[in-house]
Amino acid sequence: MDQFAPIHIPPRDALFAPLARLMTRADWETRFADDIEAILRLKRERNAVILAHNYQTPEIFHCVSDIRGDSLALAREAQNTDASVIVMAGVHFMAETAKLMNPHKTVLIPDSRAGCSLAESITAENVRALKRTYPGVPVITYVNSSAAVKAETDVCCTSGNAKRVVETVAREWNTDRVIMIPDEFLAKNIQKQTGIEMLTWPGHCEVHEKFTPLEVRQYRRMHPGVVVLAHPECPPEVVAEADYSGSTADMQNLVAREQPKKVLLVTECSMSDNLATQNPHTEFVRPCNLCPHMKRITLPAIRHALETMTTPVEIPADLFPAARRAVERMLAI
Ligand code: 13P
Ligand code: SF4
């Protein structure tokens, strides 16, 4: 970047516009506007991009991020940026994945405590033990895992490509069973769709495991005609109550394509806020389960990360090649 070129910040009217259905202008001005302008300036100064997961709050998602999406899109796009700094507005495993795809770039996580109950449910030693118990069975690991666990893995998957990855691995390895970790519910949901046996692990997403079939039935009674979309991290009994199950990007695409009158997203609640701004003709029923890890990422935290260049994500050199290979194989599928 030419350090003497003026930094253009869009006018506040334009920055606020996508949030107009969610909050008042005065609220936005008081709580967010200064941080937003500071972040937009810092991004130019640092030659940085901000990747935001669909669960980020609307002021991050719409006002400062450059690339938005589900875990799969963020992993893919992390490869394509030519910025020198990547700020991950998401959780730690997403920042690690971005680093795996960009070993020579600085990847910052604005709050290094932004973890994930799935990633924390399993260690590399647990995976080695599974491999000893089931020798020769391929290991498919959800990207919601640490780099150390990925390094013990044959292929990664996300909720957006899990079915395709499982079917491809089963075909190429000529097997009708796979080790699929660490999300027990995702594995069971994919087993139902593919008929392929899953040896799994009792890891759960602390947000999605809370939904119950009864709750979904109650929403249906209260909102006749509502279209129900459930994330595949939900228990299978909850997915069975839904009209459709898919990743956060699949949900976004379905709402954009079909424009249902009323929709219930059985997932983290910022997702509904973000989609509501893009789909003014759809009413969103909002069960509110928040991910406490995603919510550690705030505008002040992003601003601080760019001001101080903290916290850079590093991956131990001995884990790097194997962890990266597992993600690359996924992206190739
Ligand atoms: P997606 O890949 O569907 O965006 O999900 C990531 C996640 O953490 C869901 O809880
Ligand atoms: Fe992890 Fe669940 Fe939070 Fe996603 S929503 S980051 S799976 S704890």
Side-chain angles (χ1 to χ4, degrees):
M1 181 193 116
D2 173 358
Q3 60 179 311
F4 300 110
I7 294 179
H8 170 72
I9 303 290
R12 285 192 173 190
D13 283 351
L15 289 170
F16 172 67
L19 274 63
R21 296 180 70 227
L22 297 174
M23 61 187 79
T24 64
R25 173 71 180 257
D27 192 22
W28 181 84
E29 290 278 352
T30 322
R31 293 167 60 205
F32 304 129
D34 289 347
D35 282 332
I36 289 169
E37 287 179 344
I39 290 168
L40 295 178
R41 210 166 277 119
L42 282 159
K43 270 202 309 186
R44 290 288 308 280
E45 287 166 10
R46 302 290 197 191
N47 187 21
V49 285
I50 299 180
L51 272 54
H53 185 261
N54 289 328
Y55 293 162
Q56 290 298 299
T57 47
E59 68 281 2
I60 294 175
F61 195 80
H62 293 287
C63 301
V64 298
S65 68
D66 302 283
I67 295 164
R68 301 170 263 273
D70 66 352
S71 314
L72 181 58
L74 297 185
R76 267 211 207 102
E77 294 300 328
Q79 296 182 106
N80 299 333
T81 175
D82 48 17
S84 13
V85 177
I86 296 173
V87 180
M88 180 55 72
V91 292
H92 195 265
F93 77 79
M94 294 175 177
E96 276 192 341
T97 307
K99 182 69 181 177
L100 286 171
M101 304 322 293
N102 291 282
H104 305 300
K105 291 188 176 164
T106 302
V107 176
L108 302 176
I109 178 89
D111 189 324
S112 51
R113 297 167 302 170
C116 168
S117 63
L118 280 169
E120 275 132 43
S121 72
I122 191 163
T123 65
E125 181 42 41
N126 296 145
V127 189
R128 286 192 287 272
L130 280 170
K131 292 200 284 194
R132 284 193 296 274
T133 312
Y134 304 106
V137 179
V139 179
I140 301 176
T141 300
Y142 199 29
V143 283
N144 299 40
S145 52
S146 66
V149 165
K150 287 187 176 75
E152 296 293 336
T153 294
D154 293 304
V155 191
C156 283
C157 73
T158 70
S159 55
N161 62 14
K163 180 169 178 279
R164 191 189 314 187
V165 168
V166 167
E167 287 173 340
T168 305
V169 168
R171 195 170 55 245
E172 287 179 2
W173 292 59
N174 196 20
T175 177
D176 53 11
R177 67 177 186 165
V178 299
I179 296 173
M180 185 152 180
I181 49 174
D183 188 343
E184 181 186 8
F185 296 150
L186 177 72
K188 287 185 171 163
N189 285 321
I190 299 296
Q191 177 167 306
K192 243 185 175 173
Q193 290 176 24
T194 60
I196 293 162
E197 185 191 349
M198 304 280 162
L199 305 164
T200 187
W201 185 256
H204 299 146
C205 162
E206 66 189 83
V207 176
H208 292 93
E209 71 177 347
K210 291 199 185 93
F211 293 108
T212 65
L214 178 65
E215 195 181 350
V216 176
R217 287 197 290 271
Q218 279 168 344
Y219 277 115
R220 279 200 196 275
R221 264 198 301 278
M222 288 187 297
H223 302 276
V226 69
V227 175
V228 180
L229 313 183
H231 196 278
E233 289 171 11
C234 292
E237 318 80 75
V238 172
V239 171
E241 293 287 338
D243 299 305
Y244 180 82
S245 171
S247 75
T248 56
D250 294 334
M251 292 184 192
Q252 179 180 23
N253 293 337
L254 189 137
V255 173
R257 199 174 56 240
E258 309 216 339
Q259 295 281 297
K261 267 206 176 75
K262 226 182 221 196
V263 84
L264 167 70
L265 301 183
V266 188
T267 192
E268 214 267 359
C269 58
S270 290
M271 180 81 198
S272 297
D273 290 337
N274 291 328
L275 291 200
T277 64
Q278 299 159 341
N279 299 278
H281 304 301
T282 296
E283 185 188 333
F284 288 80
V285 179
R286 299 171 198 229
C288 204
N289 283 1
L290 280 171
C291 173
H293 311 290
M294 290 279 180
K295 264 53 214 184
R296 286 192 184 279
I297 309 301
T298 59
L299 286 176
I302 294 173
R303 181 176 179 173
H304 184 256
L306 281 165
E307 278 167 352
T308 59
M309 296 298 281
T310 53
T311 301
V313 174
E314 300 298 345
I315 295 171
D318 57 329
L319 300 177
F320 207 101
R324 179 176 160 118
R325 197 163 51 240
V327 177
E328 278 176 337
R329 282 185 183 147
M330 168 185 86
L331 293 174
I333 290 172

